[in-house]
Amino acid sequence: MRAARLIKMVLLLQSRPSMTAAELARELEVSERTVTRDAQALSEAGVPVYADRGRAGGYRLIGGYRTRLTGLGRSEAEALFLSGVPGALREMGLEDAASAARLKVSAALMPSLRDASRTASQRFHLDAPSWFKEPKTPELLPAVADAVWDDRRIVARYRRGEGEVERELEPYGLVLKAGVWYLCARVAGHGAHRVYRIDRFTAVDPGDERFERDEEFDLPGFWEERAEQFARSLLRAEVVVRVSPGGVRRLPYTVDPQSAREALETAGSPDGDGWVTLTLPVESEEVAHSQLASLGPEVEVLEPPELRERFAADALRLAALYRG
């Protein structure tokens, strides 16, 4: 336990110029006193850990000290080779760099672990695009990716509605969602971050001017929040339905899962036959008709009246088709 913590401490200090005792304690999930004892133990073992005193002080490695990755276990080494997304790296123009990095890591591993890349790739594979869609790599993705890596501003033209708009952007990060690439960026001179689809860019001019990145920006957290807001923004209408026990089980797979769960949590008690009446947020009456139709006789639409009449007409047409 302590040996693993000491290795992690060395790797943390190796990856940063210096770290305070509080930062190390937070990363290692121990007390600051334990950090002090661990630093002393590393120093006694020959690892050149130096403590700077004062308000701006902290711990750092001196003399260009580097450690090899010989402390990796098999599961850690295999997980390391699973961390890349080959298709995404290829589309961003980083396939050669990723291949070189994997070779260097393999060379640094103990001989008994050098098959980790092969054993991991034989057992797990990530296929990001959704079914029945031919993924198409945006032509301008490599240029945008380069700007993201270098913190360089870009002047981008993109399609919006029937026309095109030009903006100077500070590109913070890229997200691959169901085979579609998105750029999370901030308009130069503005504080709010926005999301842009890369395949709507018609021109990208990466300049030489770099921007100062907001170190507090959290790409995964930002994307999760924005994706939830986007999904919610689509649900502009409501329908009132009765759902059978079988329909309740299928409902989260038919409509927006989060909306289905929230509607079921706030619904009243089932009636004598086990049917539940609930109010369900939907994108539109048209979308609700398409989604709820897949539940067949396991759902009854109560409101709005127009949608109920539509399902009643569907039922009559089905009955006519199957009569006799």
Side-chain angles (χ1 to χ4, degrees), residues 96-134:
D96 291 342
S99 177
R102 286 192 292 269
L103 285 174
K104 290 178 180 179
V105 172
S106 297
L109 291 173
M110 297 171 58
S112 60
L113 300 180
R114 287 178 184 167
D115 65 339
S117 173
R118 182 179 59 83
T119 57
S121 63
Q122 286 177 341
R123 288 165 174 79
F124 299 97
H125 175 67
L126 176 62
D127 185 9
S130 57
W131 287 103
F132 311 118
K133 289 185 178 180
E134 186 68 28

Side-chain angles (χ1 to χ4, degrees), residues 210 218 227 250:
R210 284 180 164 77
D218 174 25
R250 292 167 52 189

Side-chain angles (χ1 to χ4, degrees), residues 44 49 57 82 123 176 184 198 241 274:
E44 293 174 355
V49 178
L82 280 175
R123 288 165 174 79
L176 177 61
C184 300
I198 303 294
V241 295

Side-chain angles (χ1 to χ4, degrees), residues 26-56:
R26 186 167 55 252
E27 291 282 354
L28 300 172
E29 299 181 352
V30 296
S31 67
E32 292 186 31
R33 181 169 295 185
T34 299
V35 168
T36 301
R37 288 198 297 265
D38 285 353
Q40 181 64 33
L42 288 171
S43 181
E44 293 174 355
V47 178
V49 178
Y50 182 78
D52 291 313
R53 306 296 179 184
R55 179 179 297 181

Side-chain angles (χ1 to χ4, degrees), residues 17-23 50-60:
S18 68
M19 295 183 69
T20 65
E23 290 172 337
Y50 182 78
D52 291 313
R53 306 296 179 184
R55 179 179 297 181
Y59 292 93
R60 60 187 175 89

